[in-house]
Amino acid sequence: MSREYRFLAKRNRAPAENVANDGLMINLMALWNCRMHHKKNLSVAALFRAGALNSRMPARSRPGGGVRVIVCFVVLLFFASAFLLHAQQAAGAGGSPGPSKAADDGQSGKISPPAESVVVTGTFTPVPATEIDRSVSAIDTRENPLLYGHWTEYLQLDPSVDLRQRSPQGVQADLSIRGSSPGQTLVLLNGLRMDDVQSSHHDLDLPLPTPAIERIEILRGAGSTFYGSDAMSGAVNVITGPAKYSEVRAGAAVGNFGVNQENLSAAFLSGNVDEQFSVARDFSSGFIADRDYRSLTMFSNSGMQTVLGRTLVMLGYGDKPFGADQFYGDFPSWERTKSWFAGLKQDLGSNTELDFGYRRHSDEFILLRDDPSIYENNHIDESWQASLRRKQPLGRHSTLFYGGEGFYESIRSNNLGQRHRTRGAAYADYDVLALSRFSFSIGAREEIFDSHGSEFSPSVAAGVWLKAGWKLKASVSRAFRLPNYTDLYYSDPANIGNPNLLPETAWSEEAGLVWDRGGRYRAEATLFERRGSNQIDFVRDSSSDPWRAENIGRLNFTGVETSFEIRLPHRQRVVIAYTALHGVQSALDGLESKSVFNYPIDDAVIAWQGALPRGFVARTRVGVTNRFGRDPYAIWDANVCREFRNVAAHLGFSNLSNTQYEEVEGVVMPGRSVVFGMEFFMMKK
C-alpha cells in the first residue's frame, strides 16, 4: 500500500495533560461532599481527579468506589439547582408559571407541553411514543443541533446504551444495549440494516453527517421479530428526514488536539419534491501519537410524493483514515475504512411498502503503521437487502401486519477469504387496541439460512392505561444473532476463528411502569431480563495461548432502568436516568474471556438543556459509569451556542473534568478538549 494513504506522519509528542481543572469544579466542591467506599470525604472534583489518577493504574489494581452513592448525591444536586433556577426565573417573570398552550419562545417563562413524538422502531407501523408497549425512546437531533459535536453524542443521553469508543467524533465505536456484546445490537438507517458482516466494530461506520439526521430511535430489548439477526438486546434506528424549509448552511470549527471541522448542507423544498444534501469533514492531529484521524462523510436524502405514495432515495459515502494505537492490541496500528450506501423506500398505496438497500464497506488495517510490510489485512464486504411489507386492517381496532425479506452478504478478504451467504424471512404480527385503554400484539418471524438451518423469533407485548397518566406495559421476545466472518474465519498469531460456531439465541422479558403528566413531568421504571445461550466470545486457557472463538454457554442479565424528566420555563429540560445490570454466566472451566465482561454494572446520566438570557442556549451532561471489574469514572460535557440573524456561534467542552478513562480496556480516551465554531445560513420558510 502506497505511503499516500498514510496521510499523517508519525508524531512523537507527550501525552495530554492529565491534571484536572480545580477552578472549574470549585462550586461543586463547595456544594457536595460524599462518602465512598475506602474514602471518607470525596468531592465531585476529587472523584474526577481520582478517575484521572486511577486510569493510569492497571485496571485490576484500582481501588473500588460507591457509584450508587455518587448517583444519589448528583441527583439531589441537580434537583436543587434546577428548582432554584426555576424559582429565580419565575420571580423574574412576575409570577408563578404554569402549563400553557402557547408556544414557549424561550423568553415567556411559560411551559408548553412537548409535541407528541411518533416512533417507527419496535413496531410495524408508526405509533405515538406513549402508545407503544416496548421500551422505545426517540431523540430529536434537530433541536439545537449546534449543542452536539457529533450525532453519536446523542446516544450518551441513554444510560442503557453503552457507547464504547476507541476514538471520538464517531471515528470508531462499539455499541451495546443492556450489557450485550456489540454484535448483539442492531444498527438501522431509516429501518434498513447497517450491520457489518466482517465485524461489529464497523456497525456504527455510517456515511452520515450530523445535519442529515432528523432523530434517533432506540429500542431496548429483543427485536428479532421485527429485524431478524443481531437485534438480541435492541436496535438503534438513525432516521433522516426532509428539511422543514429550503436553506443553505456552511460552518467551520477549530479546537485543541489539532481539530478542524467543516460542514455544508443544503435543502430544497418545492411542491411534492424535497432534497437535502449534507457533507462534513473532521480532522485531528491526535491527542497522543498515532491517534490522529480524518473523516469525510456525505449523504443525500431525496423525496417525492407520487400517486403511489412517498418515494425516498438515499445515497451516502464515508472515508475515515485514523491512527489505531492500542485498538486491537499493544501495537501502533493504522486503519482506513470506507463505506457506500444506497437505499430506496417506496410506498405502494397506503398499506404496502417496498424497501431496498445496498451497503459496501472496506477496511484496510496495518498492524505497524511505520512498517506495513509486517502485517496487513484488507477486507471488502457487501450487503444487499429487500423487503415487501403490508398492513391489513381487520376492523376498527385490529390490524394484521405481514411481509417477507431477503438478504445477501459477501466478503473478499486476504484473511477471511471469499465467502457469501443468503437468507430469507417471513413474518406476521397481529395488533389490537381496545377501548383506547388496552393494547396487545403477538408476532412471529421465521428466518431461513442457506447453511445454518432456521431461527424462529416470536414476541408478545401488552399494555394497559391504569388511569390517566399511568401505563403498565410488558413484553416477551426471542432473538438470535448469526456469527460474523471474523468470529468464523479470522486467523492471526493472537486470534483464531471457529467455523463451527452456532448462532447465539436469547429470551428477553421486561415489564415497565410509565407516569406522564402531560409532558411536564415524566418518569419510567422498567425491570428486564435476558437469558442468552451459545454466547460467542474469544477465550483462552492462559495468557500464552491465542484467543479462540467459542460458544461459551449461557449468559443471563437482569437489570432495572429508571428515568425522570422535568420541563421548566425557558425551554429547560432536566433528565435523570440510571441503569443497573447484574450478569450471571455458566462456568468457563478456567477459561479467560476477552470481551463479554466489559459491560457497565451501573450507568447514570444527569443532563440539562435550556435557554439562557440574551438568546443563548446551553446544555450540560454528567455521566457516571462503573464497569464490571473496574473502577467508576465520571465525564462532564458542556456546550453553549447563540444564533444571530444569519450566523450562529457555538462553543463545546468535552471531558471538562479531564478524566483519563477507557471505554475499551487498553484504549485511552482524550482529556479535556474545547471546540469553537461558526455557522452561516440562509433560509426560506
Side-chain angles (χ1 to χ4, degrees), residues 150-169:
H150 190 269
W151 64 265
T152 53
E153 294 179 14
Y154 290 97
L155 301 176
Q156 297 174 322
L157 299 176
D158 189 334
S160 292
V161 176
D162 184 20
L163 188 67
R164 305 173 188 174
Q165 300 180 97
R166 291 179 174 84
S167 186
Q169 295 297 110

Side-chain angles (χ1 to χ4, degrees), residues 411-563:
I411 191 166
R412 290 176 290 144
S413 166
N414 66 316
N415 188 298
L416 303 173
Q418 297 191 26
R419 306 180 188 277
H420 67 86
R421 61 189 185 190
T422 59
R423 62 186 191 273
Y427 70 86
D429 180 86
Y430 178 65
D431 284 15
V432 178
L433 178 65
L435 305 176
S436 299
R437 181 177 179 181
F438 302 97
S439 54
F440 174 79
S441 67
I442 181 169
R445 177 189 180 101
E446 179 76 9
E447 193 147 339
I448 302 174
F449 320 123
D450 61 357
S451 58
H452 288 284
S454 64
E455 288 288 345
F456 182 65
S457 304
S459 69
V460 178
V464 56
W465 288 98
L466 303 175
K467 60 179 182 178
W470 292 87
K471 183 177 183 180
L472 181 66
K473 57 184 181 179
S475 65
V476 179
S477 305
R478 186 181 187 273
F480 73 96
R481 180 181 86 91
L482 291 175
N484 58 44
Y485 285 135
T486 296
D487 297 330
L488 293 167
Y489 304 114
Y490 191 78
S491 177
D492 66 21
N495 302 274
I496 301 174
N498 182 353
N500 298 314
L501 291 173
L502 300 173
E504 299 176 320
T505 60
W507 280 96
S508 296
E509 304 93 22
E510 66 176 39
L513 182 64
V514 180
W515 174 63
D516 193 333
R517 291 291 303 273
R520 181 173 182 182
Y521 303 100
R522 189 180 192 279
E524 183 170 357
T526 302
L527 295 172
F528 61 88
E529 182 182 42
R530 185 174 70 253
R531 295 174 286 115
S533 300
N534 294 325
Q535 175 84 37
I536 297 173
D537 193 17
F538 281 78
V539 297
R540 63 185 181 186
D541 297 298
S542 68
S543 59
S544 61
D545 295 326
W547 298 100
R548 64 182 187 276
E550 297 285 354
N551 292 109
I552 61 175
R554 298 187 177 276
L555 179 61
N556 301 337
F557 282 99
T558 303
V560 59
E561 297 167 336
T562 60
S563 65

Side-chain angles (χ1 to χ4, degrees), residues 232-368:
M232 289 183 64
S233 65
V236 171
N237 191 6
V238 183
I239 298 172
T240 63
K244 296 180 180 179
Y245 29 75
S246 298
E247 64 175 352
V248 176
R249 290 181 175 268
V254 295
N256 57 336
F257 307 138
V259 167
N260 68 78
Q261 304 167 345
E262 297 85 30
N263 67 82
L264 174 68
S265 63
F268 172 75
L269 301 178
S270 178
N272 294 328
V273 178
D274 59 87
E275 165 65 30
Q276 180 168 355
F277 175 78
S278 304
V279 58
R281 175 186 177 273
D282 195 354
F283 175 92
S284 171
S285 56
F287 70 102
I288 56 176
D290 196 30
R291 292 294 297 275
D292 49 300
Y293 61 82
R294 183 185 69 199
S295 172
L296 173 67
T297 54
M298 56 183 67
F299 193 83
S300 170
N301 196 88
S302 307
M304 177 183 296
Q305 195 71 27
T306 67
V307 293
L308 291 176
R310 179 163 173 80
T311 301
L312 177 62
V313 178
M314 300 158 282
L315 298 171
Y317 171 75
D319 184 7
K320 297 179 182 179
F322 52 91
D325 182 54
Q326 311 297 308
F327 277 22
Y328 313 108
D330 191 14
F331 305 103
S333 304
W334 181 88
E335 193 165 6
R336 183 177 192 173
T337 63
K338 293 183 179 182
S339 55
W340 297 259
F341 173 74
L344 169 69
K345 298 178 76 71
Q346 175 65 61
D347 290 340
L348 301 176
S350 59
N351 294 330
T352 307
E353 180 182 314
L354 174 67
D355 295 343
F356 170 82
Y358 168 75
R359 177 183 184 271
R360 186 178 191 266
H361 189 269
S362 66
D363 176 26
E364 177 193 1
F365 174 74
I366 295 173
L367 184 66
L368 301 179

